[in-house]
Amino acid sequence: MLTLYSFRAMTHQVLGEFEQLVLLAMLHLGGEAYGIPIVDEIERRTGRAVARAAVYVTLRRLEEKGYVSSWIGDPTPERGGKGRRYVKIESAGRRALRESRQLVDRMWGELDPASLRSR
Amino acid sequence: MTRPPRIARALLRLFVPADVRDSVEGDLAELYSAQTNSRGRVSAALSYWQEALSFSVRFALDRIRRSVRVVGSIRDAASPDTGRERSTAWLESVGGDARFALRLFARKPLSSTTIVLVLAIGIAACVTVYGALQSAIMRPPPGVPRDRSLVLVRRMARPKEQPVWSPARFSYPSLLEMAAQRSIFAGVAGWTESTVSVDVPGALDGAAAKAQFVTGGYFSVLGLRPAFGSVLPTPPPNAPAEPQLDAVISESMWEDAFARKDVTNDVLMVNGVAVRIVGVAPSQFNGVTAGADDGRTRLWLPLSTRATILAAGTGADASATAALSSVDSTLFQVVGRLAPGVSPERATAAVRVIAANAVSEMTPPGANGSNAAKPPVVYDADVVSLQGSTDALQVALGIPPGPGLAWLLTLFGTLATLLLLVVCTNVAALAVSGAIERRGEIAVRLSLGASRARVIRQLLTESVILSACGGVLGLATLWGVTIALRRIPTTAFFRPDFGTAAFTMSLAVGTGILCGLAPALHATRNGVAAALKDTTTGASRRSRLHHTFVVVQVTFTQPLLMVVGMFIGAAMLEAKQPLPDGVPERVLKLRVDIASIRGSSAEKVRAMDRLQRQIAQTAGVTAVLPEPEPVGVATLRVRPEDRGSNTGPADPVSAQMWVTAPGYFNLIGVRLLRGSDIATSSDTNTTIIIGSDLARRLWGVMDPIGRRFSEIAPSRTGSRDLVVSGVYDSRYFDRSQPLLVFRPVAKLQSGEYLIRTAVPASTLVDSTRRIVREELPSAPITSLISLKQFETEASVNARALDAGLAACGALVLFLSSIGLYGSVALGVRQRRREIGVRMALGARTEQVVTLLFGNGVRLGITGLLLGLPISIAASNRLEQGVATGHAIIGGVIALLVLVVASVATLIPAVRAARVNPVISLQSE
């Protein structure tokens, strides 16, 4: 399924919330992150349940955008002879994450999160 | 290592893209393995299914989203507007609705699962019944292609004084005359059936099989294509009449005897004659009309081989040959293909002329010194479409041909329609109940700025997903039912039709969608203020809707259960009492094909007498008797001087008359209640044995021995008085069948024997088989089983039917209970504020429960009264086939429905009354 987008052009777009969560989870996990621990990390840090399939769809999209790369590990019997797809964040992904954080910080500006408490 | 569920894995392979499929499957397998160890296999499987469905939906939506992006990109290259964003946003929005719907279902698993199950079970049940009806009425026999020009040419006969037609056959000259009518028939084929002995090395050893000797072009007329090899070749018109010793075997024989290997040019022995196999009949094809046994016709042979093969079996070469040229020898059933533009009615007219000419050429009864003058017989013929395999359905249900089948088809059609109505009502009630509960949410959405279309789209998405799940599960259930039925030979005629399934699904699923949508349409019609106001009131127009659902459900459920209950009641009341303990295990049933016995008639009789004597002398055998044989229906009237007080002035009795050898009742362990079964017959009277039911009906407690009947419609010329010489216990015979009377005769030669043994009958099977082979080497044994095994096999159909009816009744009750409970429970929840107010004002719990319970019972009684006319009409219609206590069964059913409605009302009423009134008031 071809797309006429330029992948490069998308590096200047802001990441979606869930895309940020996935990338941040990968950063927390460090070297060998794959689907299962990424889901666990997001759930642990956010305290909410995450649809596992959403993580996989997002990883695929991020890889198409060039933000992450992946490789296949060794197959194991408990995985039905299939290897793990490990992912790591690329420089474009780090840049996009940084830009997204900067954008949100600019929007917050001088606003104090404590001032948003309901009265 | 246990593997994850196969179907869930297949789902993943279908929806997950190839580039990530392995890693997804691997990760889920890893999770499954870990969960199996920690939580158990069932929990792990459920979790795996959940993930598989989630992955499938998300990747499917992702694929759609990508497709839209492509389309949008191409369009934007031509026109620079924001169409791409709009279409993508729309899809994202619909995807969001779907995700919200899935989360909603996850929060309310019970109600969501209930709707899906009700839809699935209802669709499967309705499509099964509709499919069976359609298979019976509109579809050809298994293996025969659907072709409107294919017709069955039927011949019927009846004794002149009797109204019931019986099937008859055509002679070969008549068949040729029909084939010559090229303006009527594009092709005509006939067949005659015989039992033969088949030997296949290593597989079949003298096994009795049905052989159909067919005319040339049989397979081409029917348009049959072989499953393997080729069909019988059509001989050229002027070919010499030499037998082509070729055969086509049935698929079942191919499986049983040849393990589906290449059988082309293989040889099998038929009555000791080597026959070459040229092919295998189409899958499931067992002949155009199923026979009275299991219908597993084994092979088809050219008609030219009949004389050779039957002669090898019987030694009567001349008779087999002469049968083809004589108009008196009516052996053939006929099938034809109508010429273009010819209707069955026009073909019927032509066939009637041919049949009438044949009758005029037949030898008159009593001529040529025939020793038994036959009663005058009337013949008729017609042409019917081959599109309905009603013969197979009759065999499957064990009912005799005649108007009974049409009545039964009408009954099943009515049952299926009522069941569909119950399902739709159920689904509507559950969907509306669920949607009404969310009117508050709908009102809030409207107040926050959501458009009417947006709210409607959300509910429509939910309804579509839920109904689609129910529909898919229903189709899966139907698929399983179809596979199960195909394993039973007697239900081989059943094949569900896509159109039937689509119609039933669209009706049920459409109901679910519309009823889920209706409250939203209603709520958004009058604006936000009206919607908000509507949610703050307690009792409202909604309660009338609930009442309507409850009443409608009870109205449709009652006649449905009434019909099912009448059948079950009839089966219970009219079921025959088992024979005394030990008798079925100590009686052998032997059936021999006496037509294959060589020699003259006198030689055949001597051979059968020898056989009977030899078997009787076997160690362990205490008695051998021929089985009773039916001779026809007799209409009897009690002679005026012998009438009892119970007998009316003109009270004829129709009874199925059987001839039996003396000692029959003693052999089967059913002693006569009065009199004896000694055969006496004179010019003026003959003795009969009647059942205790008939004796009680005609003479009450008076002794019936010596009383006499006159035959009004005799089965033979020259009526004689029938004197009651004995009374048998009717409880041991099937009372759903017509009355049985037995006429003892001194001599009976039917080829069917009952062998009473002092030891278990199964231990004497081999010795009996050996004796038959020695005394009647040319006669194949068509059956040699114990009476116990015979009764078990014979009752399979009846038991299956009873089990099906009981399951249907339980299903209807289950569906109705769910629907009633759902409707009533929601109605009670809607009155929560009212209940809170009442209890706050001092009402006790039992007063509140009584109020709600009484309301529910009133609705149930209303539904029963409305359903009463339908129940009465159904029971009166059924009376033609089922004679049982309608009032008793109707009363029991009404009580059962009322109990179900009451329980469905009581539970939510008690639960609502127990809630703290403060909480009830606060929740509003």
Side-chain angles (χ1 to χ4, degrees):
Chain A
M1 198 96 51
L2 296 177
T3 173
L4 299 183
Y5 288 118
S6 165
F7 290 125
R8 287 259 172 222
M10 294 179 71
T11 59
H12 297 298
Q13 293 188 1
V14 177
L15 292 171
E17 180 202 342
F18 199 73
E19 290 175 329
Q20 294 182 56
L21 291 180
V22 170
L23 288 174
L24 290 169
M26 288 169 59
L27 287 173
H28 282 296
L29 289 169
E32 294 193 339
Y34 65 103
I36 294 176
I38 291 175
V39 171
D40 294 339
E41 185 69 16
I42 294 173
E43 289 182 342
R44 191 176 67 83
R45 287 186 175 269
T46 61
R48 70 181 200 201
V50 167
R52 194 176 303 275
V55 171
Y56 284 77
V57 171
T58 304
L59 280 172
R60 186 166 179 249
R61 193 161 57 238
L62 289 171
E63 187 169 3
E64 286 173 353
K65 292 179 183 178
Y67 296 164
V68 303
S69 61
S70 66
W71 71 99
I72 304 295
D74 294 331
T76 56
E78 58 268 18
R79 292 176 59 87
K82 298 176 172 60
R84 290 173 180 164
R85 178 182 286 270
Y86 294 102
V87 288
K88 71 173 179 141
I89 188 168
E90 294 292 332
S91 56
R94 292 174 191 274
R95 188 164 55 245
L97 202 56
R98 197 168 50 244
E99 287 175 9
S100 299
R101 174 63 187 263
Q102 286 169 359
L103 182 69
V104 172
D105 285 343
R106 283 200 293 275
M107 286 305 298
W108 274 100
E110 299 80 26
L111 288 173
D112 180 9
S115 67
L116 296 176
R117 262 190 225 115
S118 59
R119 293 181 183 146
Chain B
M1 186 190 72
T2 57
R3 300 187 71 184
R6 195 190 317 172
I7 298 177
R9 281 188 284 131
L11 205 60
L12 288 172
R13 280 195 290 275
L14 193 60
F15 288 100
V16 177
D19 56 334
V20 294
R21 189 179 303 150
D22 278 355
S23 57
V24 167
E25 288 188 13
D27 284 356
L28 292 182
E30 187 178 323
L31 279 172
Y32 176 78
S33 177
Q35 285 168 353
T36 301
N37 294 331
S38 61
R39 287 158 28 185
R41 202 169 152 190
V42 172
S43 178
L46 284 172
S47 182
Y48 191 92
W49 262 105
Q50 194 175 342
E51 295 291 354
L53 288 169
S54 174
F55 271 83
S56 300
V57 168
R58 285 188 183 270
F59 273 104
L61 287 174
D62 188 57
R63 187 179 295 184
I64 295 170
R65 201 178 298 125
R66 288 162 186 265
S67 304
V68 169
R69 278 202 203 117
V70 171
V71 172
S73 302
I74 294 171
R75 188 177 60 208
D76 290 341
S79 63
D81 59 12
T82 57
R84 173 171 48 87
E85 283 93 9
R86 277 206 302 272
S87 58
T88 307
W90 181 80
L91 261 180
E92 297 271 356
S93 177
V94 170
D97 287 347
R99 287 192 292 273
F100 179 82
L102 291 174
R103 284 199 296 271
L104 184 69
F105 300 151
R107 280 205 303 270
K108 295 183 178 180
L110 187 60
S111 62
S112 308
T113 309
T114 303
I115 293 179
V116 169
L117 279 180
V118 166
L119 266 175
I121 295 172
I123 287 172
C126 291
V127 175
T128 300
V129 179
Y130 280 136
L133 290 176
Q134 193 187 35
S135 298
I137 298 170
M138 296 172 60
R139 305 199 65 170
V144 176
R146 189 177 267 188
D147 189 336
R148 288 180 184 277
S149 65
L150 285 177
V151 292
L152 187 67
V153 186
R154 303 189 303 182
R155 188 171 187 238
M156 294 82 72
R158 64 174 174 85
K160 200 172 181 183
E161 288 82 16
Q162 293 194 14
V164 181
W165 292 96
S166 302
R169 307 287 168 91
F170 290 97
S171 64
Y172 190 62
S174 296
L175 190 157
L176 293 177
E177 201 173 332
M178 276 186 264
Q181 300 273 330
R182 304 303 292 182
S183 60
I184 301 294
F185 295 107
V188 169
W191 72 95
T192 176
E193 198 170 84
S194 300
T195 302
V196 295
S197 172
V198 174
D199 290 276
V200 175
L204 298 174
D205 178 23
K210 293 277 189 208
Q212 288 193 348
F213 298 96
V214 300
T215 59
Y218 172 83
F219 290 94
S220 62
V221 167
L222 285 170
L224 298 175
R225 301 172 75 173
F228 188 86
S230 64
V231 294
L232 294 175
T234 304
N238 298 321
E242 289 176 5
Q244 292 173 278
L245 292 170
D246 295 331
V248 170
I249 61 174
S250 65
E251 189 187 33
S252 55
M253 188 179 190
W254 189 31
E255 275 184 30
D256 296 344
F258 297 97
R260 301 183 79 93
K261 68 177 178 72
D262 185 350
V263 292
T264 314
N265 296 321
D266 276 12
V267 172
L268 69 160
M269 307 301 285
V270 181
N271 281 359
V273 176
V275 173
R276 182 179 68 122
I277 300 174
V278 298
V280 179
S283 177
Q284 297 187 339
F285 179 72
N286 268 327
V288 173
T289 56
D293 54 7
D294 65 356
R296 294 169 73 87
T297 300
R298 298 288 180 157
L299 66 168
W300 291 263
L301 300 121
L303 187 60
S304 58
T305 64
R306 182 173 180 271
T308 305
I309 289 177
L310 293 188
T314 66
D317 181 45
S319 65
T321 307
L324 296 187
S325 58
S326 168
V327 294
D328 290 325
S329 187
T330 52
L331 300 171
F332 291 89
Q333 292 178 274
V334 178
V335 68
R337 182 179 290 274
L338 295 175
V342 175
S343 66
E345 291 74 25
R346 188 176 154 201
T348 295
V351 163
R352 278 194 172 136
V353 170
I354 295 171
N357 291 341
V359 170
S360 65
E361 292 171 8
M362 285 172 67
T363 305
N368 294 340
S370 55
N371 56 8
K374 295 179 182 176
V377 177
V378 177
Y379 294 94
D380 194 9
D382 68 0
V383 170
V384 294
S385 172
L386 206 53
Q387 295 308 299
S389 54
T390 53
D391 287 340
L393 178 60
Q394 287 172 343
V395 170
L397 297 178
I399 57 175
L405 181 64
W407 164 84
L408 203 63
L409 293 176
T410 307
L411 169 70
F412 276 101
T414 307
L415 279 178
T417 305
L418 282 174
L419 184 61
L420 187 59
L421 286 170
V422 169
V423 168
C424 289
T425 308
N426 236 350
V427 169
L430 291 169
V432 167
S433 299
I436 284 178
E437 253 192 330
R438 296 173 59 199
R439 286 172 78 88
E441 172 200 334
I442 294 170
V444 168
R445 281 175 174 236
L446 290 174
S447 66
L448 290 176
S451 67
R452 188 184 183 207
R454 185 69 184 84
V455 173
I456 290 172
R457 197 189 75 193
Q458 169 67 45
L459 286 177
L460 184 64
T461 305
E462 293 169 17
S463 299
V464 166
I465 292 175
L466 211 55
S467 301
C469 289
V472 167
L473 189 59
L475 284 179
T477 308
L478 177 66
W479 177 63
V481 168
T482 306
I483 290 178
L485 287 179
R486 279 198 183 152
R487 295 179 189 276
I488 305 172
T490 50
T491 54
F493 70 92
F494 172 72
R495 281 149 302 155
D497 182 66
F498 174 74
T500 308
F503 165 75
T504 309
M505 267 192 66
S506 61
L507 207 60
V509 168
T511 303
I513 292 173
L514 288 174
C515 291
L517 201 55
L521 291 171
H522 181 74
T524 57
R525 190 174 58 194
N526 298 321
V528 176
L532 283 171
K533 180 181 171 187
D534 200 17
T535 61
T536 61
T537 58
S540 69
R541 285 170 296 178
R542 296 193 298 278
S543 64
R544 286 203 294 276
L545 192 59
H546 297 145
H547 296 167
T548 305
F549 276 130
V550 172
V551 169
V552 167
Q553 287 211 350
V554 174
T555 302
F556 288 139
T557 301
Q558 185 201 11
L560 196 50
L561 284 178
M562 176 77 172
V563 169
V564 171
M566 285 179 69
F567 266 96
I568 295 175
M572 289 169 58
L573 292 173
E574 297 171 4
K576 62 179 183 177
Q577 186 165 324
L579 292 176
D581 282 344
V583 170
E585 291 85 355
R586 293 176 190 271
V587 173
L588 259 185
K589 280 176 66 75
L590 168 66
R591 190 180 292 181
V592 177
D593 182 31
I594 58 175
S596 305
I597 300 176
R598 300 184 187 196
S600 64
S601 300
E603 288 170 344
K604 289 184 182 182
V605 169
R606 283 196 292 273
M608 285 191 282
D609 285 343
R610 271 200 314 273
L611 173 70
Q612 191 170 338
R613 277 198 306 273
Q614 288 296 323
I615 294 175
Q617 290 169 4
T618 307
V621 173
T622 58
V624 182
L625 286 176
E627 275 209 72
E629 199 176 329
V631 294
V633 176
T635 305
L636 312 173
R637 180 184 284 141
V638 180
R639 288 182 65 85
E641 57 271 28
D642 290 326
R643 284 186 189 143
S645 57
N646 296 0
T647 315
D651 212 357
V653 174
S654 283
Q656 178 76 33
M657 185 172 291
W658 293 65
V659 289
T660 180
Y664 163 71
F665 292 96
N666 197 38
L667 185 146
I668 62 170
V670 178
R671 295 185 182 280
L672 293 177
L673 298 175
R674 291 178 188 267
S676 72
D677 57 358
I678 296 173
T680 57
S681 180
S682 66
D683 289 338
T684 54
N685 60 58
T686 189
T687 54
I688 60 167
I689 302 167
I690 64 173
S692 53
D693 284 352
L694 180 60
R696 194 176 310 117
R697 183 173 128 194
L698 294 177
W699 293 292
V701 297
M702 296 164 59
D703 188 359
I705 302 299
R707 297 184 188 268
R708 291 164 295 172
F709 291 98
S710 300
E711 282 190 85
I712 299 174
S715 55
R716 45 172 173 66
T717 55
S719 65
R720 292 182 291 182
D721 283 349
L722 300 173
V723 183
V724 178
S725 63
V727 177
Y728 67 86
D729 193 344
S730 299
R731 294 176 303 166
Y732 291 100
F733 293 83
D734 191 352
R735 285 177 284 175
S736 65
Q737 299 295 324
L739 293 171
L740 304 175
V741 297
F742 295 88
R743 182 160 61 87
V745 295
K747 208 71 169 131
L748 192 58
Q749 297 286 5
S750 61
E752 299 178 10
Y753 299 93
L754 290 173
I755 305 168
R756 182 67 187 262
T757 63
V759 296
S762 54
T763 61
L764 295 179
V765 167
D766 290 339
S767 56
T768 306
R769 190 186 302 277
R770 180 179 46 79
I771 293 172
V772 174
R773 282 287 176 91
E774 286 170 0
E775 296 298 329
L776 306 174
S778 63
I781 298 172
T782 53
S783 176
L784 179 58
I785 55 175
S786 68
L787 185 60
K788 173 80 175 173
Q789 186 180 348
F790 175 79
E791 287 185 341
T792 303
E793 291 173 5
S795 65
V796 163
N797 280 338
R799 283 208 304 271
L801 188 61
D802 293 342
L805 284 171
C808 188
L811 175 70
V812 169
L813 213 51
F814 170 71
L815 291 175
S816 296
S817 305
I818 290 178
L820 281 171
Y821 182 84
S823 300
V824 170
L826 183 67
V828 169
R829 278 201 298 277
Q830 291 294 326
R831 298 179 68 178
R832 195 163 33 196
R833 180 181 172 85
E834 174 196 343
I835 294 168
V837 168
R838 284 177 181 269
M839 295 190 75
L841 291 176
R844 296 192 303 276
T845 304
E846 51 270 21
Q847 286 175 316
V848 172
V849 170
T850 305
L851 172 71
L852 299 172
F853 181 69
N855 188 44
V857 169
R858 273 195 299 278
L859 292 175
I861 292 174
T862 305
L864 286 176
L865 290 174
L866 288 176
L868 194 58
I870 307 175
S871 299
I872 292 174
S875 66
N876 285 340
R877 187 82 178 91
L878 273 179
E879 198 176 7
Q880 298 175 18
V882 173
T884 185
H886 309 162
I888 298 172
I889 292 176
V892 169
I893 296 298
L895 191 62
L896 184 64
V897 172
L898 196 57
V899 165
V900 168
S902 303
V903 170
T905 306
L906 187 62
I907 295 175
V910 169
R911 288 175 66 181
R914 284 185 181 163
V915 176
N916 192 326
V918 173
I919 296 174
S920 302
L921 292 168
Q922 276 182 346
S923 67
E924 292 291 324

